[in-house]
Amino acid sequence: MSTNTESGTATNTEARTATNTEPRTATNTAPGTATNTAPRTVRSPATNTAMYALTDSWTMTRRELDRWARQPVRVVVNLVFPVMLLLMFGYLVGGGRGVSGDYVDYLIPGMLALTMAFGLEGTMIAVTQDLNKGVIDRFRSLPMANGAVLVGRSAADMIQSAVGLTLLIAVGYALGWRAHGGAGAFLGAVGLLLLFRFAMLWVGIHLALVAGKPELVQAVQILVWPVGFFSNAFAAPEAMPGWLGTIVQWNPMSQTATAVRDLFGGPGGESGHVWAAVGWPLALLMVFFPLAVARFGRLSR
C-alpha cells in the first residue's frame, strides 16, 4: 500500500516540478536575425490545480482498489449480502402490505435503493483506521490536493457499488423480474441509484471523521439505519399508520425507490418523485461534502 502511494505521489511531484521548470522560450539572438520564439501552451493556475487534484484522487482510488485485492473475502461478502436479503424478503418472508401487483416487481427496486443506503460501515471503518494509524497524517504531509484522500475513497466505493448494483439486477432478472420502461428509463433509474449512493457515501465519510475511532463506527452507523427501515422498500406507506406513513414518504430513500419503480415500469412508481430523487441526494452532497472536506482539512492542526 505504501509503495503504490509513495510512487504515485513521487510521480505527481516530479510532474509538477517539470512543468514549473520547463524552458519558457527558445530565442535566437544572432546578430541581424529576427527573434524566434517557440510556441508554448500556457495553462491557468486553476487548470493546473484541477489536474493535480484529479491525479491525486486517482492515486488514492488505486490505493483503495489494491487494498480490496488483498481482501477478496470481504468484497465478496459485501456483494452477496444484498442478494441474500432479496431472496429472504422475496421468498421466505414474502408479501408486502398495501402492495398491488407482483411483490417481486415492487421489492427489487426497493432492495436496489436499500443496498445503496446500506453498507457504509466498510467506508467508515477504513477512514477511521487510516486516522488512527497515522496514514492520514502522512498523506497530509505530501504535496497532495486537500480532500484527494476522501475523493479517492468515495470513487473506489462507487466502483464497488456499481458492481454490486449490477449483480443484484442480474439476480432479479434470474428471478423473473423485468424492467418495462425502456433503455433510457433503465439507465435513468441506475443513475438515480448511484447518485443516492454517492450522497450516502459522503454522509458516512463525514460521520467517520466525527467518530474518529473504528470502535465508535457501529454506534454512529445506527443513525443510518432509520433511512433504510423507515422507507417503502418492503411495504407501501398507505398500509402504515398515518404518522409512520408520513415519515416514510419524506424519507430520501423512499423518494429514490418510488422514482426507480416508475422508471422500471413496476408497481408503486410515481413519476412526480423523480425530481425529489434528484434533489435529496444533491442537498445531502451540498451539506456533507464541504463538511467532510473541511473537517479533513482541520485534522492534526
Side-chain angles (χ1 to χ4, degrees):
M1 175 178 68
S2 59
T3 303
N4 294 337
T5 305
E6 292 171 0
S7 62
T9 306
T11 302
N12 297 339
T13 305
E14 292 172 0
R16 297 176 191 182
T17 304
T19 301
N20 295 332
T21 58
E22 64 180 355
R24 294 187 176 181
T25 58
T27 305
N28 183 359
T29 57
T33 60
T35 301
N36 297 324
T37 303
R40 65 188 182 93
T41 302
V42 180
R43 292 176 179 168
S44 65
T47 301
N48 287 335
T49 301
M51 291 181 61
Y52 298 150
L54 289 175
T55 303
D56 294 339
S57 299
W58 174 239
T59 300
M60 293 297 99
T61 301
R62 288 192 294 111
R63 169 181 176 261
E64 298 300 331
L65 295 177
D66 290 341
R67 176 187 291 181
W68 288 343
R70 294 190 295 270
Q71 300 174 345
V73 175
R74 183 174 180 179
V75 175
V76 171
V77 169
N78 290 335
L79 294 176
V80 172
F81 183 69
V83 176
M84 294 175 59
L85 286 180
L86 173 61
L87 296 176
M88 181 181 69
F89 281 99
Y91 294 96
L92 296 181
V93 177
R97 297 183 59 185
V99 176
S100 59
D102 188 357
Y103 181 59
V104 174
D105 287 342
Y106 181 91
L107 175 64
I108 288 181
M111 283 300 306
L112 294 175
L114 183 67
T115 303
M116 297 296 98
F118 277 12
L120 300 177
E121 66 275 4
T123 298
M124 298 170 68
I125 290 175
V127 172
T128 53
Q129 285 178 342
D130 285 346
L131 285 173
N132 286 270
K133 292 179 180 178
V135 177
I136 298 295
D137 292 333
R138 291 185 60 190
F139 288 150
R140 285 174 53 81
S141 66
L142 299 174
M144 296 176 58
N146 186 30
V149 176
L150 303 182
V151 174
R153 175 74 234 186
S154 64
D157 281 354
M158 286 300 296
I159 294 175
Q160 184 180 16
S161 299
V163 174
L165 188 62
T166 302
L167 176 62
L168 200 56
I169 290 175
V171 172
Y173 266 76
L175 296 176
W177 170 79
R178 294 293 183 270
H180 306 287
F186 181 90
L187 294 177
V190 172
L192 289 179
L193 291 167
L194 292 177
L195 176 62
F196 180 64
R197 176 62 174 182
F198 189 62
M200 292 301 297
L201 279 176
W202 281 99
V203 174
I205 289 173
H206 176 67
L207 293 178
L209 293 173
V210 171
K213 296 181 180 180
E215 54 267 23
L216 296 178
V217 167
Q218 295 297 329
V220 175
Q221 191 192 6
I222 295 177
L223 300 175
V224 183
W225 289 357
V227 177
F229 291 115
F230 290 162
S231 70
N232 62 359
F234 308 111
E238 295 77 13
M240 302 177 185
W243 63 271
L244 181 58
T246 301
I247 295 176
V248 167
Q249 289 178 342
W250 280 94
N251 187 335
M253 201 199 87
S254 295
Q255 302 292 333
T256 298
T258 303
V260 168
R261 289 185 178 110
D262 176 66
L263 293 173
F264 283 151
E270 298 179 17
S271 58
H273 289 254
V274 172
W275 290 110
V278 174
W280 267 112
L282 291 180
L284 292 174
L285 284 172
M286 290 176 62
V287 173
F288 287 98
F289 179 83
L291 285 177
V293 174
R295 189 171 187 87
F296 179 81
R298 293 195 301 267
L299 294 176
S300 301
R301 289 185 179 179

